[in-house]
Amino acid sequence: MNRQPVPLPAEHIPSGALPWRTADAQRWLAAAPGWWAHPAVTATVLAGSLVWDVVAAPVPPCTSADPCGADWPGLGAAVVLVLTLYWVWRQPRLALAGLGGTLAVFAVEGGFSAAFREPSALAFLTAAACTAAGLVHRLAVTGRQRARALAAAGTVAHPLPAAARTFRRGRFSFLLAALLLAVAAFGCLRAGQVVDAYEERAAGATRLTGRVTGLERGDDADVLTVEADGRTHRFETAYPEDFPLDSRVDIVVEGDWAALVAEPYDIFGWELLVLAGSVAGLAFLANGVDGRTRAKRLRRASLPVLRVLVREGHEDGRTWVFAADDPEGLRPVLSFHSLHAFDDREENDDEDESESEDGGTEAAVGLDKVREILKGEDAAPPLREAVLYGAPCAGAEVVFVAPDGPDGDEVSVECSVTAVKPAAPASKAHRQRDGEGRDLRQPCEEGAVALTPTAAPRLWRAHGFSRAVGLVLLVLQGGGIWAALDDGPSWSWIWLSVGLVWLLTAVATALTWRITADRGGLWITGAWRVRRVPWEAVIGVRHSEDRIRVDRAEGSPVVLSPTGWAWLERRLGRAPHAVRTTEELRALLLRPELRPLEEAPAGRQGMPVGPPLTALSVLWGAAVLLLL
């Protein structure tokens, strides 16, 4: 029996507050950014094109006239570039500014002219343009979502609760930013000391010209041998290709100390520390400033209010918001992380006394709660009525008032500490689960909506994301075979044989998994065989960790894995194909009237591709041996 949401006392509901209906919430969700503008797509494309351009770009050689020393402008450009990739996810406006700065550096270095003759430069420009278009689209969509939220809230506006007005955002981010920027400053200081020490010593040293007589390659470093003025000197080098044998190089010598003029010192470790500290510190600083600015904006004037339902995610700790007329919490609208806000003016001395009297009991209860959480035995948080303050949109800050706990005796004020994020269409993070992790709400209605009675057998098969996963694994498999055979017979072939079996199974399943439902039951096509499971033997169908599992009354369950990449599909705003398949199979299991009336012919029962894929792998291995 479904539990009703925990009610919010009437005195905490502002006058005139309207409920956020499912129809309005769905219109709000419909204004979410398109999949092509999702950060997972734009950031990946931008990063991939950038890596290609960096790898393809020629590296200028280290010479005495142009030594490989400190490159602070280049390091600054790298900081901006890495921050831009991060801001594509978190801060669209800052990402646009960072992208503009990156393109300015690209133009100064001749990147635009190189784009007409270098495919890598052209790919980077194209990716940057697509990323900019995606960022502008996301910002425009934010405005549309805000307008639809304001329309749903009507003309009613109320000030924030007192506790929310004293809530401060960004303190932890500012603290981390200060520490990380201090680390970056320390790295700059140490790098500067190394450079100053070299320049001071080189100013009083003797400059000689020597001849390269040898090069020793090593795992840790390459060592260059140079003869100059009748003495032999050895130098570690990061770019041995710049110093061919019998070439002339300049060195500086002072007693037993000597250095290459072209590679005077090595501060790569300190530069890496500066890069990491600057990127992380500036990222936290920007997040802190953005959070504090948005929080101040909330406190400036009265805000629109909406009556909604909220639930804390049992697995991710996020606050999930549902429409007010969705009492079962089946369709989440948005989510964010939140923290309780407390009004200091409401504290009194009685609280201190109660804490001293009940401290032992509360500590014991707290320890029991922690123990239940660690064991996964804690009860899922209930669905609660709430009042949402602010116009929700992607990236916004909001505040809500809701009952604190399952009884509703106390009311809490919570403020968002991460930006609002629209929910994916098929998110299941909001569903209640019992102590054993079994879904208490496995309604077949969602799957049955897309099903109508039919005579012909129904078919579900590998979709685009599943096949993409299979192709990636296939490439890894081919590369693994090449790498193992490249070194000749060795003990690594044992690992190859073990890993190859798993890879063959995963590739064959991801590329061609298939489930056919007919009058008598299910035909399940895996990597190696087709299994028949009658309807009376099926006791459950589940999807978890990118696998579809069909539980049987007798015998082990039938498992298909992998069946796609549900995480990425949700991030791109799509309902995972394997999840929809599971819901529709569950609908057929629980509602026999929807099952097909005919038996599936042999041609629709599927065919495993594991055996032919094994033969192809053997042929590939033979071809590799012949090519080596």
Side-chain angles (χ1 to χ4, degrees), residues 310-558:
V310 298
R311 176 188 288 145
E312 182 180 354
H314 195 210
E315 298 177 356
D316 55 14
R318 297 181 68 87
T319 297
W320 292 86
V321 177
F322 306 85
D325 56 352
D326 184 13
E328 294 186 354
L330 298 177
R331 295 173 294 277
V333 182
L334 56 91
S335 68
F336 50 85
H337 285 100
S338 61
L339 289 177
H340 285 75
F342 301 97
D343 188 0
D344 297 336
R345 294 174 299 178
E346 294 179 358
E347 295 181 355
N348 51 52
D349 297 336
D350 294 339
E351 293 179 353
D352 297 332
E353 295 178 3
S354 63
E355 288 178 1
S356 62
E357 293 174 359
D358 302 335
T361 303
E362 292 179 357
V365 172
L367 289 176
D368 292 339
K369 181 66 174 178
V370 170
R371 191 178 299 112
E372 290 176 356
I373 293 174
L374 293 176
K375 292 181 178 180
E377 299 175 352
D378 59 317
L383 197 64
R384 300 172 289 165
E385 293 182 355
V387 174
L388 191 69
Y389 288 81
C393 58
E397 299 274 335
V398 293
V399 175
F400 69 92
V401 178
D404 191 9
D407 298 329
D409 297 334
E410 299 181 358
V411 173
S412 64
V413 178
E414 297 189 39
C415 301
S416 62
V417 292
T418 59
V420 166
K421 180 179 179 182
S427 177
K428 301 300 177 187
H430 57 280
R431 290 194 171 181
Q432 288 186 340
R433 297 180 180 274
D434 61 9
E436 299 178 357
R438 179 176 56 84
D439 201 344
L440 290 176
R441 308 173 189 264
Q442 294 185 345
C444 61
E445 285 76 8
E446 293 186 19
V449 167
L451 299 178
T452 55
T454 179
R458 296 186 181 275
L459 173 64
W460 299 267
R461 66 178 76 187
H463 204 244
F465 279 91
S466 180
R467 290 171 181 166
V469 170
L471 290 175
V472 171
L473 293 177
L474 185 61
V475 172
L476 292 177
Q477 173 187 319
I481 293 175
W482 183 291
L485 298 180
D486 188 30
D487 297 331
S490 66
W491 62 269
S492 63
W493 285 21
I494 300 176
W495 297 108
L496 174 64
S497 60
V498 175
L500 192 59
V501 174
W502 178 85
L503 272 175
L504 284 170
T505 303
V507 170
T509 303
L511 289 176
T512 61
W513 66 266
R514 181 186 183 115
I515 300 177
T516 303
D518 61 11
R519 182 178 61 188
L522 301 176
W523 295 95
I524 304 176
T525 304
W528 306 104
R529 59 174 174 165
V530 180
R531 297 189 182 184
R532 176 63 165 173
V533 183
W535 286 116
E536 57 270 17
V538 180
I539 60 175
V541 183
R542 292 184 290 171
H543 176 274
S544 64
E545 298 178 354
D546 292 318
R547 67 178 62 187
I548 295 176
R549 171 172 169 159
V550 179
D551 294 314
R552 298 186 292 178
E554 296 182 0
S556 59
V558 181

Side-chain angles (χ1 to χ4, degrees), residues 572-588:
L572 296 178
R574 296 185 175 186
H577 177 65
V579 174
R580 293 202 308 269
T581 298
T582 303
E583 292 175 349
E584 292 177 5
L585 287 172
R586 189 180 297 127
L588 294 181

Side-chain angles (χ1 to χ4, degrees), residues 43-68:
T44 301
V45 172
L46 183 62
S49 64
L50 174 65
V51 170
W52 183 18
D53 189 45
V54 170
V55 171
V59 179
C62 299
T63 63
S64 299
D66 187 16
C68 294

Side-chain angles (χ1 to χ4, degrees), residues 228-303:
D229 197 23
R231 296 178 58 184
T232 300
H233 303 275
R234 294 167 61 85
F235 306 98
E236 290 187 357
T237 176
Y239 304 99
E241 63 276 5
D242 294 342
F243 309 102
L245 290 177
D246 293 328
S247 62
R248 310 296 292 183
V249 295
D250 295 328
I251 63 174
V252 287
V253 180
E254 182 185 19
D256 294 335
W257 175 83
L260 284 170
V261 175
E263 289 187 31
Y265 43 78
D266 181 13
I267 58 172
F268 177 75
W270 295 117
E271 288 178 323
L272 193 61
L273 181 64
V274 172
L275 176 66
S278 299
V279 168
L282 291 174
F284 277 110
L285 180 62
N287 290 342
V289 172
D290 181 69
R292 178 155 294 187
T293 302
R294 291 179 184 276
K296 286 183 178 179
R297 193 177 300 135
L298 283 179
R299 297 194 295 267
R300 286 177 184 172
S302 298
L303 300 171

